[in-house]
Amino acid sequence: MCELCDTPGGEPIWQDDRCRVVQVNEPGYPGFCRVIWNAHVKEMTDLGEADRAHFMAVIFALEATLRELMQPDKINLASLGNVVPHLHWHVIPRFGDDPHFPAPIWAAPKRGAGARAGPDIKIIKLTLERRLQTP
């Protein structure tokens, strides 16, 4: 049983036949998204070259979208999969006042979650779609 095979993994934003983008509801981290490969594989090297390029293009388009819409201090990209061994990348806008900054979000918190709001999911979707249609 695989959580990312059995559930969307967050609130769906965008999808094609190979991967999907979802927003994660994580207090203190507006705009936190995952890009999830639809088929159950564990590692980037389980994908062929064209699939790897496509997957990374979606990740980079999402990063650019979140930078445009949120102007974070930093974007964290992480592909871990130790807990859920299904290929996915975390794309996390980071701000100097977020609960863990500058440490990773999985570290002990340094402060409480702020009241920063993320962009509307519809705006993320439209901006991401625009970026993915541009060669």
Side-chain angles (χ1 to χ4, degrees):
M1 177 172 252
C2 171
E3 175 184 341
L4 296 180
C5 286
D6 298 335
T7 70
E11 186 174 350
I13 296 174
W14 177 91
Q15 181 168 337
D16 67 9
D17 61 332
R18 295 186 268 186
C19 61
R20 63 191 181 271
V21 175
V22 300
Q23 187 170 38
V24 178
N25 181 14
E26 184 68 38
Y29 296 95
F32 182 161
C33 294
R34 288 187 192 110
V35 182
I36 304 166
W37 194 252
N38 289 334
H40 185 82
V41 298
K42 291 182 183 180
E43 310 296 349
M44 289 293 293
T45 52
D46 291 336
L47 302 178
E49 188 174 327
D51 285 339
R52 282 195 306 265
H54 175 74
F55 198 39
M56 293 311 296
V58 173
I59 293 163
F60 296 150
L62 177 59
E63 176 187 310
T65 294
L66 294 173
R67 289 183 70 198
E68 176 185 334
L69 297 176
M70 299 183 73
Q71 296 87 45
D73 296 320
K74 182 72 176 92
I75 292 276
N76 288 171
L77 298 176
S79 177
L80 305 169
N82 297 330
V83 175
V84 180
H86 181 120
L87 185 58
H88 65 287
W89 283 71
H90 302 272
V91 182
I92 310 164
R94 299 295 307 274
F95 297 90
D97 62 352
D98 78 35
H100 295 87
F101 198 86
I105 69 163
W106 297 283
K110 296 177 180 283
R111 63 194 68 79
R116 184 182 311 273
D120 184 283
I121 198 165
K122 293 174 191 156
I123 300 298
I124 297 172
K125 177 180 173 47
L126 291 171
T127 307
L128 181 60
E129 285 175 345
R130 176 180 47 84
R131 287 188 180 281
L132 291 170
Q133 291 175 1
T134 304

